[in-house]
Amino acid sequence: MTNIDKQHLIKRENLNRAQYFRSVLQEARRLNLLTDSEFNNIKMQTMQLLARQAERYTGGDSSSIKEETAQGIMQSVFYSIDVCLKSFPDADMSIGELKHKPLAELYRQGKKLVEAQLEYTKQMYNEIRNNCIATDNCAYNDTIQSAIPAFFSAYDVEFAAHDTPASIDYPLSNDKMELTGIEYIHDYLQKLLLENRFCKNFSNHDINSLLRGYDVHYQDLLINIFGLVLTNTIGCILAEKSVLKLDIQPFDKQYLQQKLVNMTKEQLDTILQDASEQLFKEFKISDRLLQNHITATALDFSPRIKNALGNNRLESVFISLKEKHPQGVVEFEDGRKMDDELFRRIADEVRQCRYTSDKIAIIKREIHSMTDLVDILEGSCLLGDEFSEVFQYLGDMELAWLLTKLPADTADADLHYTENEKDWHARLDNFLKEMNLSRRESIFLHYKNFLC
Amino acid sequence: MGNELMLLFNDMINKPAVSEIINCNIITLRFGLALSAAEALELIETRAAALRSNGRIEFGAGIINKLIMKFCDSPFLSQHNYAATLHDLIETFYYFKNETLDEISDDELISLMKKYFDQNCQGSIELLQNRELELLARNIRYGVTDYANLCEDAEESIDEENYYD
């Protein structure tokens, strides 16, 4: 028996989800589903609705408002109408409602839906906050702890429903950036909840070791934790290992390289699809949304894996876990930092010295903390070769500590550091390059311990 | 439908009727002031131009009638400068709605304009625009509580040079 699908006059694919009301009207006009008088009637009702909202906005105190304000209010009105129209099963029904119901009524219904979605999203947020991954990644923590609550307190359903007053840094694996307002936050939190739920299958220790394996500075990176965890999980399935291990060792990568290198893109997609389905069984994932999210993310890996196989660089996709303290713990305790007034006096004294030996003598005598030493390096106190003479006098441990202050990514250095900072970073770098190999290795060993 | 709607707005909604302005003559005639139908039409055009040039959209009944009713008892208005002054007042009003960041209501701004026009400016529209209302706008922007008090020695008056120190 063949299925009979209802044919719609307005095709969903011709509509813009972000400007639904306007695109429904445009399509209806194009297909002659609205007469001129009906269209003008809707337009007039829009203006009356806008006038009423503007009056509410000024509280009746002002008969006029700025154009930008009016545009903001109008977008907010359109947003609520969009939400109402999108709640109907198809666009043809939306046109029927627009023809027969007052626009103000549709706006009121839309606003109620927005308010309901806001309440539901708040509940979802509470669930996320109570079950988030314990990690040091700043973007993840800041987004959950600060950005989302800031959105809830700043969101204005009445006059700025279309606005998304939140600074969300943490990237999702599949983010619908075209949505705005509460629809965006709802979609974002829904996916974050799914991602967290999946990551809860692994211990926080394993997840953090994976992130450390990706980059030792993972705390400051804008990375999607779920994406990395899922990649390794799928890697484990392909390498026929237990999925709970999460770890892909170099010999696993060699095996995967041999297994996958000759596959076409279609074969790779199929194998990733099969791996996703095996994953659903292993973790008993029955939630359709999570299944779709995993499959969509897994298929996104395909070009990356293909590329990595071509370059024999599978380690850039599948990551080996890295423990926190592989070479023992180094605990650094800085000396007492001097007060600002005294520091200024000493810095002036150093600047006025004619000979480098005098400068070094003052630094030796007065500076007892690394923080003060960095301030001296950045404080225009030393010139030219004087830097290397000061570095000469420092021990391996002190140099290793200074090395931790150097930017990890030199591309960012121009943006985030002052000229004085860049100057001493470059001089320390040169100093280390000119040093003998054995001492340099010892300094780098201390440096690695500091990073752990 | 976005910007197009904005452009249509001032023309389609709440356009003040000439008859409403002419009706004010019943009251203003007591002070020897009256507007002809042609003058009323010109005032409506000035309002539309002022709204456009100041990037504003009007939703209410408009402020022409309010300005007429407030200013008609001013000792500095007579029939020969009545219409010209009203044109200037309409432009001034919308300009200072923007300059005062919409912080004060229409009625308050009109009352202050009238007070300064009659007292501090002695009927000079130039002084009203360039001295008194500029000072008022500055006080509002800098968050002075007693912003309407424009005395030079007002306690809270702002020294702009030191404001950011």
Side-chain angles (χ1 to χ4, degrees):
Chain A
M1 201 171 90
T2 47
N3 285 328
I4 299 172
D5 286 335
K6 190 183 169 192
Q7 288 297 310
H8 298 297
L9 295 168
I10 297 178
K11 301 271 180 289
R12 217 167 247 279
E13 58 272 18
N14 292 342
L15 299 174
N16 178 353
R17 300 284 295 170
Q19 297 190 335
Y20 195 74
F21 170 47
R22 277 164 283 185
S23 63
V24 165
L25 282 184
Q26 273 168 5
E27 272 300 287
R29 288 277 284 166
R30 193 175 67 81
L31 300 167
N32 287 326
L33 299 174
L34 273 180
T35 63
D36 280 352
S37 72
E38 283 168 337
F39 182 70
N40 287 334
N41 179 30
I42 293 173
K43 212 157 145 181
M44 184 52 86
Q45 284 188 63
T46 312
M47 286 188 232
Q48 283 163 349
L49 196 53
L50 175 59
R52 207 192 66 194
Q53 282 301 99
E55 201 179 335
R56 282 170 65 89
Y57 179 79
T58 62
D61 278 347
S62 182
S63 66
S64 61
I65 54 173
K66 282 186 169 186
E67 256 177 39
E68 304 91 89
T69 317
Q71 259 164 3
I73 294 172
M74 190 167 70
Q75 279 178 358
S76 178
V77 168
F78 283 174
Y79 185 86
S80 292
I81 296 174
D82 283 354
V83 171
C84 176
L85 296 182
K86 277 189 252 183
S87 70
F88 298 130
D90 56 66
D92 294 351
M93 195 172 163
S94 306
I95 284 292
E97 293 287 315
L98 279 169
K99 277 184 190 175
H100 301 118
K101 265 193 183 170
L103 202 63
E105 176 60 30
L106 295 177
Y107 168 69
R108 260 194 302 278
Q109 279 181 22
K111 210 175 95 180
K112 270 188 191 159
L113 288 173
V114 170
E115 281 164 351
Q117 198 171 30
L118 181 64
E119 278 313 306
Y120 176 69
T121 310
K122 278 182 184 169
Q123 287 170 14
M124 203 154 60
Y125 168 68
N126 286 335
E127 198 182 331
I128 288 174
R129 203 180 44 184
N130 296 332
N131 288 304
C132 55
I133 307 165
T135 174
D136 297 336
N137 185 266
C138 295
Y140 181 83
N141 292 332
D142 287 352
T143 300
I144 294 177
Q145 281 157 20
S146 320
I148 303 290
F151 168 83
F152 288 133
S153 47
Y155 189 59
D156 183 356
V157 180
E158 186 84 33
F159 303 114
H162 62 291
D163 217 358
T164 320
S167 142
I168 291 171
D169 294 331
Y170 180 69
L172 294 178
S173 85
N174 236 331
D175 202 359
K176 270 193 192 168
M177 299 293 276
E178 73 273 12
L179 294 176
T180 59
I182 188 64
E183 284 188 317
Y184 175 72
I185 296 293
H186 175 266
D187 184 73
Y188 181 91
L189 290 184
Q190 195 172 44
K191 282 184 181 152
L192 188 60
L193 188 64
L194 295 175
E195 294 190 357
N196 283 355
R197 237 178 243 164
F198 178 76
C199 290
K200 282 280 160 187
N201 289 310
F202 305 93
S203 71
N204 285 326
H205 170 265
D206 285 350
I207 292 175
N208 285 318
S209 300
L210 176 71
L211 297 178
R212 205 173 296 110
Y214 178 75
D215 194 309
V216 281
H217 296 289
Y218 72 93
Q219 296 92 335
D220 304 324
L221 297 181
L222 298 177
I223 43 171
N224 177 246
I225 300 172
F226 164 78
L228 295 176
V229 172
L230 184 65
T231 314
N232 263 33
T233 317
I234 285 183
C236 287
I237 290 177
L238 297 180
E240 291 155 31
K241 288 177 70 175
S242 160
V243 282
L244 289 168
K245 287 266 183 266
L246 208 55
D247 194 13
I248 304 273
Q249 289 295 319
F251 55 85
D252 297 324
K253 287 172 199 161
Q254 279 173 9
Y255 171 71
L256 287 172
Q257 176 76 29
Q258 284 166 4
K259 184 178 173 181
L260 306 175
V261 73
N262 291 323
M263 284 192 180
T264 62
K265 192 185 173 298
E266 288 71 32
Q267 286 172 319
L268 203 57
D269 283 350
T270 315
I271 208 170
L272 286 172
Q273 186 100 33
D274 292 345
S276 307
E277 274 162 26
Q278 195 179 330
L279 195 66
F280 303 155
K281 281 183 202 143
E282 295 264 0
F283 289 119
K284 298 185 178 62
I285 297 169
S286 54
D287 183 347
R288 178 62 62 188
L289 283 172
L290 183 53
Q291 285 185 355
N292 290 343
H293 193 55
I294 288 174
T295 313
T297 310
L299 289 177
D300 275 353
F301 299 154
S302 169
R304 275 176 56 214
I305 295 177
K306 190 86 193 129
N307 191 28
L309 286 168
N311 296 316
N312 199 10
R313 294 272 301 159
L314 218 47
E315 61 270 27
S316 65
V317 179
F318 299 114
I319 301 152
S320 301
L321 302 197
K322 188 172 181 181
E323 289 297 322
K324 196 172 183 183
H325 303 298
Q327 277 116 13
V329 184
V330 173
E331 203 164 298
F332 172 76
E333 196 178 328
D334 201 4
R336 209 168 142 260
K337 189 179 178 304
M338 67 179 78
D339 72 74
D340 293 348
E341 193 53 47
L342 181 62
F343 178 82
R344 267 195 291 274
R345 229 179 43 234
I346 289 165
D348 282 341
E349 208 180 325
V350 173
R351 272 186 218 111
Q352 283 160 12
C353 284
R354 191 168 172 184
Y355 301 108
T356 316
S357 55
D358 294 343
K359 290 189 177 184
I360 292 177
I362 295 172
I363 293 171
K364 268 185 184 173
R365 194 178 63 236
E366 305 287 353
I367 305 291
H368 302 295
S369 100
M370 292 303 285
T371 319
D372 285 337
L373 180 66
V374 170
D375 287 343
I376 288 282
L377 295 175
E378 288 168 9
S380 308
C381 297
L382 304 172
L383 301 165
D385 294 340
E386 289 172 354
F387 279 96
S388 49
E389 289 188 46
V390 171
F391 294 144
Q392 201 76 54
Y393 138 79
L394 298 175
D396 289 0
M397 197 62 107
E398 287 150 330
L399 286 169
W401 188 87
L402 283 180
L403 206 52
T404 62
K405 300 285 140 194
L406 263 56
D409 184 0
T410 45
D412 283 350
D414 278 350
L415 288 171
H416 301 299
Y417 294 94
T418 63
E419 286 305 316
N420 281 1
E421 282 172 308
K422 280 188 264 180
D423 188 29
W424 80 259
H425 292 170
R427 287 180 190 283
L428 178 61
D429 200 33
N430 282 338
F431 176 77
L432 292 170
K433 276 179 191 159
E434 286 163 14
M435 188 182 278
N436 70 55
L437 198 62
S438 63
R439 190 176 173 209
R440 196 161 69 203
E441 274 176 5
S442 139
I443 289 170
F444 273 98
L445 201 65
H446 291 311
Y447 166 71
K448 280 179 189 161
N449 288 340
F450 271 126
L451 291 180
C452 297
Chain B
M1 204 161 136
N3 288 334
E4 175 204 351
L5 194 73
M6 290 295 166
L7 292 172
L8 284 173
F9 209 95
N10 282 327
D11 296 332
M12 289 178 74
I13 289 232
N14 296 319
K15 197 167 182 172
V18 173
S19 60
E20 281 177 33
I21 297 173
I22 300 291
N23 281 346
C24 294
N25 284 346
I26 300 166
I27 293 167
T28 59
L29 269 172
R30 280 188 240 156
F31 305 99
L33 305 170
L35 289 168
S36 66
E39 283 171 329
L41 200 63
E42 280 172 15
L43 287 180
I44 290 169
E45 281 164 14
T46 300
R47 165 193 170 271
L51 282 169
R52 258 197 311 277
S53 66
N54 288 297
R56 296 185 71 83
I57 290 177
E58 189 137 77
F59 297 96
I63 47 87
I64 301 179
N65 286 15
K66 280 187 180 175
L67 281 170
I68 291 173
M69 301 315 284
K70 193 77 188 176
F71 277 79
C72 65
D73 66 348
S74 169
F76 300 101
L77 285 188
S78 59
Q79 185 58 37
H80 83 277
N81 69 354
Y82 181 43
T85 309
L86 281 178
H87 283 289
D88 289 339
L89 288 173
I90 291 168
E91 283 168 2
T92 309
F93 173 82
Y94 289 118
Y95 177 77
F96 281 100
K97 274 300 277 186
N98 278 354
E99 291 295 296
T100 53
L101 312 175
D102 285 300
E103 288 290 320
I104 56 173
S105 69
D106 289 357
D107 291 343
E108 190 178 4
L109 180 58
I110 292 173
S111 296
L112 288 171
M113 282 167 71
K114 170 71 172 20
K115 182 181 149 198
Y116 301 145
F117 182 75
D118 282 356
Q119 295 171 11
N120 309 23
C121 307
Q122 294 287 295
S124 163
I125 202 92
E126 285 79 14
L127 281 180
L128 178 70
Q129 290 169 339
N130 301 321
R131 192 182 66 192
E132 309 303 315
L133 290 180
E134 283 291 352
L135 215 57
L136 172 77
R138 198 187 68 164
N139 281 351
I140 288 172
R141 286 198 300 267
Y142 284 91
V144 176
T145 326
D146 187 15
Y147 54 83
N149 181 9
L150 305 182
C151 296
E152 291 283 322
D153 56 351
E155 270 183 28
E156 275 195 87
S157 73
I158 296 293
D159 181 352
E160 278 189 43
E161 281 181 11
N162 294 329
Y163 185 76
Y164 293 106
D165 287 353

